[in-house]
Amino acid sequence: MNIKQFSMALVLAAMLALTASAQNPLTLTTGSATGALGATGSVTLPVNALNGAVAWQLTGTFSGTVTFEATVDGTNWVAAAVVPIGATRTLATTATAAGLWQQNASGLTAVRARVSTYTSGTFVITGKRSAGTAPPQ
C-alpha cells in the first residue's frame, strides 16, 4: 500500500467514524413522557451523559405517594432526591401533593416517578429531561 492509498483509507475511516457518531445514542438530550396513573405504574425517562437534569410535574386529583427513583444498571431502582420548585428547596424522595420538582440525572441510565402508595384518584405525572445543568442539592 502506497502513501496515497493509505491516506485515502484514513479519510474513509474518519468518514465512517463521523457517520457512526452521528447515530450515537448520546444525541438524546431532550424529551418528555406523561402518564395518568391509578393504583400502580410509573413514568420512566431514559437519560444519558448529555442529560444534566429532569423536571417532574405532578398534577391530578389523588391521594397517595409518588416515589422518585433512579437506576444506573437499568434493573435496580433506588429512591433518588428531588428538589421542589417553589418557596422551600428541601430535598425529598417522595411527593404527596401536586407540584414541580427537579432531579439530578448525571451518571444515571434512567429515572422514574412511581406510584408507591395509593388511596384514590388519578396521578398525572409528566417528566422532561434536559441538557441543562442539574439543580443545586
Side-chain angles (χ1 to χ4, degrees), residues 68-120:
F68 300 99
E69 298 174 319
T71 184
V72 172
D73 64 11
T75 302
N76 299 295
W77 292 87
V78 297
V82 295
V83 179
I85 298 172
T88 61
R89 304 266 309 157
T90 304
L91 290 177
T93 58
T94 62
T96 57
L100 293 169
W101 292 265
Q102 290 178 314
Q103 181 178 20
N104 183 335
S106 299
L108 302 173
T109 301
V111 294
R112 73 180 178 190
R114 179 179 57 85
V115 175
S116 53
T117 59
Y118 176 83
T119 304
S120 65

Side-chain angles (χ1 to χ4, degrees), residues 59-71:
T59 61
T61 303
F62 60 87
S63 177
T65 304
V66 170
T67 298
F68 300 99
E69 298 174 319
T71 184

Side-chain angles (χ1 to χ4, degrees), residues 24-85:
N24 188 331
L26 291 182
T27 58
L28 174 70
T29 56
T30 61
S32 62
T34 300
L37 309 173
T40 61
S42 64
V43 174
T44 302
L45 284 171
V47 293
N48 62 40
L50 297 178
N51 299 125
V54 171
W56 293 105
Q57 183 168 24
L58 179 57
T59 61
T61 303
F62 60 87
S63 177
T65 304
V66 170
T67 298
F68 300 99
E69 298 174 319
T71 184
V72 172
D73 64 11
T75 302
N76 299 295
W77 292 87
V78 297
V82 295
V83 179
I85 298 172

